[in-house]
Structures are given as C-alpha cells and as structure tokens.
Amino acid sequence: MQSILRWAIENSDNQPGAAPSQGQGEQRNLKDLDPGIIDAILGKPDSEQMKEDMTVAVDPTRSEDDRINALDHLEMLIESIDNANDLEKLKLWEPLHSILTAQSTTQDIKTQGLWVVGTAVQNNPSAQDAYLFHNPLPTLLSFLDPSSSNSSAIRAKAIYALSGLLRHNVPALEQLNNPDVDGWTKLRNALQDPSISVRRKSVFLLSALLIPNEPSPTTSVPVDILRITDSPSSGELSTATAVTSAPTSTNILTPDQRPTPSSGELIYANSHSAQLKDPSRSNTSPLALQALQEHGILDAVISTITIPLPHGDDGENTEADDDFEEKAIHLLYTYVVTLKGELSQTQKEKIRKLEENEKQKMGESKLAEKWNFSKEEYDELVRKVA
C-alpha cells in the first residue's frame, strides 16, 4: 500500500484548468518533491527500515543501546510474516546470525538477536528453512549451558528461538541427533536449569514437539481459488487460479486454511509452501517420542517432578513449582495416554507415588484441577501408571 501511495504522489500532476487555492501561489509540481519529504509523510518502506536496523545492529562502533533498539525495532517489523520472509530476500539472515556468534557482541545484544530469530521463524516454514541453511542449532543450543557466562535471560530467549525453529519442523529435529549438535541431550539438561523459567519453557517445548499433528479428515473445498504467486518463469508476482481436487485433506498450518494439494498439483510459493509439499514435515511426534526413550528425557522429566530441584538465584526455593509440574504431567499424559508409550515399573511407581502423596494433601478433585485435567483425563493417567 505504501508503494502505491508513493507512486501516486510521485506521478501526480495538477488537474488541468484547476484554479489554485485562495491565498496560494502556483502549486509546486509533486514530482519535484524531495524523496525525504515523501518518506516523512508516508514513512520508509519496511524493507528499508529492516536494512537500516541491521546496519546499526551489527556495527560494533555503535552503542549497546543503539544496537539493542535497532534489533527491538526489527523484531517489531518481522512480526509480519511477509517481513519475516523478507529477511531471506534482503540477505539479512547471515548478519543476524553473526550477532549471535561474534565474540564482541554483548549478552544483552545477543538476547535481543535471539528474540528476533524466534519471532521470525515461529509458525513460518519458509523462514525456518531459510535460517536452518545457516546451521544455527549448535549456536542456539550453546546458549543453554548455565555453566558458562550465559545469563538466565539469554538461556530463556534461546529456548524461545529453538521453539520457533523446531516446532512443526521435522528437518530441524533430524539435525538434533548430529554429533556436533547433540541437541536432545542439551534439551534434557535444560530441564534441570537453575532458572525455573528456563525449565518451564524447556518442558513446554518438549511437550509441544511430542504432540502428534496428523492431517484432519478429508473435506470438500471450492475448486476456484485465486492466489497470488511467484511466477516460476519470471520470478515476478502474478495471479493464478488454482484448481484443486476435492476432497483433499485440510492442513491447519496453511496461512489461509486452504487444502493440502493432491499429488501432482501445482503448489504456489508462499510462507507455507514447504508444508504443502510435504505435510508430514510438521509431525514431530515420532522423532520426539523416540528421543524421550533413547536420550533419558523421560526419566529426567519424571525425576524433576518427583524429586524437585531447588530454584532461584541462590537455590532458595525448594518447593515444587506448580506451573512446571503441570507442564511435565501433561507431557507424560501425551506420552503414555495419547501415544501409548511404555513406562517401566520403576517409572510407574514414581509417578504413582507422586499422585498418591498429592491426592492425600488436597483430594482427588483438587489435584485434577491443579494439573488442569478433567476427571476422565485424570482417571486415564492413573490407570496407565497403576
């Protein structure tokens, strides 16, 4: 819209025969307006602002506040999925990632950079693929190490960035097993982070990766859908009428609820085209299920709720954290009830003992409410660990 308004102003002429306003001389031809004036009226295009923000953010001669403010403004801009995808078109992913790897970058600047990354890639397969090309997982996971100089704020923001990159993204999850990444081990260790905020975010991420994402039942859809697409031949924007075959399965991750294309059907370029080409790439559940069993994550989750670790700056909080416990219990519910995962007798005994102790303190209905379960869900979990 800004581009259209800009073009209209720059190409407007006075109407023939129109009398000048009273008290005014001849109007200045709008074509002669300084571009700076037009920018002041309409504002600079988002793409220009994004490039300017990045220029400031990577400049080591600028103050820390200037660089953080630039990244903060960039994060606001890329909340728009179109602007997030423009990071690739404007070749801004590489300088953005360099902020996270540069030795001279301060912790606060890196934290803000992680925020930009997480916002850009969340629910955006196109941005996920573009960023994954830069092999970011070793860097992102390195921020989870509490024994280094990483602050709790940067560890929490690293989980935010990892969540955006890993969720609904099987190709990224597959890289967690690479020897130079060792991602599942690092995520497991994050469950015992000194910061309870990091623990909550970590268990929530693992739980989200475990939830199955199967295609919904088939449904009929209109056959004529007008789409705007990148032309395969010219690379320019063009409109095309997509003819879809009904019935097809609906992919809930498409930006406008359009159906998953059938085999051989033309797929138009958009933020979710990768999802449309391969809907199975969003189902992270099988890989997460395997990781829980093979990397000791299941034992770690059970241990953190049955023998709660102290938390706080000095470990002064020794009581169990209700929020973390609820998230962990829901992960176990997904594992054992939804996915019918197997528990060892020892694991069952630990969960059963926790349930019995908590029930003795507050009663069954209060415990179900604490864990955010319906009575049916609560009873089903209890049966599975009996």
Side-chain angles (χ1 to χ4, degrees), residues 289 292-293 297-299 301-302 329 331-337 339-352 380-386:
L289 178 64
L292 256 67
Q293 297 165 333
I297 297 175
L298 192 62
D299 281 328
V301 171
I302 295 172
I329 288 292
L331 182 150
L332 294 174
Y333 180 91
T334 300
Y335 174 82
V336 74
V337 176
L339 299 176
K340 298 178 171 57
E342 294 293 329
L343 292 172
S344 69
Q345 194 59 40
T346 300
Q347 290 169 336
K348 288 181 179 180
E349 288 174 359
K350 289 180 178 179
I351 299 171
R352 188 166 60 246
E380 200 164 10
L381 177 63
V382 170
R383 282 195 297 270
K384 287 291 185 179
V385 299

Side-chain angles (χ1 to χ4, degrees), residues 185-354:
T185 300
K186 292 180 173 66
L187 288 175
R188 181 196 67 203
N189 293 341
L191 294 171
Q192 300 177 335
D193 191 277
S195 167
I196 192 62
S197 175
V198 175
R199 291 186 215 170
R200 292 171 186 157
K201 294 176 187 295
S202 300
V203 75
F204 183 80
L205 170 57
L206 289 167
S207 185
L209 296 176
L210 190 62
I211 295 173
N213 179 34
E214 299 293 346
S216 61
T218 58
T219 180
S220 298
V221 295
V223 295
D224 292 319
I225 302 175
L226 184 65
R227 300 186 184 180
I228 296 178
T229 175
D230 290 332
S231 170
S233 57
S234 66
E236 297 177 353
L237 287 178
S238 63
T239 58
T241 301
V243 180
T244 58
S245 301
T248 56
S249 60
T250 301
N251 187 331
I252 63 171
L253 293 177
T254 55
D256 49 5
Q257 304 297 308
R258 292 187 177 122
T260 304
S262 59
S263 177
E265 183 182 347
L266 179 62
I267 296 175
Y268 298 98
N270 58 43
S271 300
H272 288 68
S273 57
Q275 207 86 57
L276 292 168
K277 291 176 183 176
D278 181 15
S280 66
R281 67 167 274 157
S282 67
N283 188 19
T284 58
S285 182
L287 287 176
L289 178 64
Q290 183 180 358
L292 256 67
Q293 297 165 333
E294 295 182 356
H295 293 273
I297 297 175
L298 192 62
D299 281 328
V301 171
I302 295 172
S303 176
T304 55
I305 56 175
T306 55
I307 310 175
L309 293 172
H311 57 91
D313 293 338
D314 300 313
E316 66 275 13
N317 299 313
T318 57
E319 296 295 322
D321 180 75
D322 288 348
D323 189 12
F324 178 86
E325 184 178 294
E326 178 193 328
K327 289 176 169 62
I329 288 292
H330 276 261
L331 182 150
L332 294 174
Y333 180 91
T334 300
Y335 174 82
V336 74
V337 176
T338 306
L339 299 176
K340 298 178 171 57
E342 294 293 329
L343 292 172
S344 69
Q345 194 59 40
T346 300
Q347 290 169 336
K348 288 181 179 180
E349 288 174 359
K350 289 180 178 179
I351 299 171
R352 188 166 60 246
K353 183 177 180 180
L354 170 68

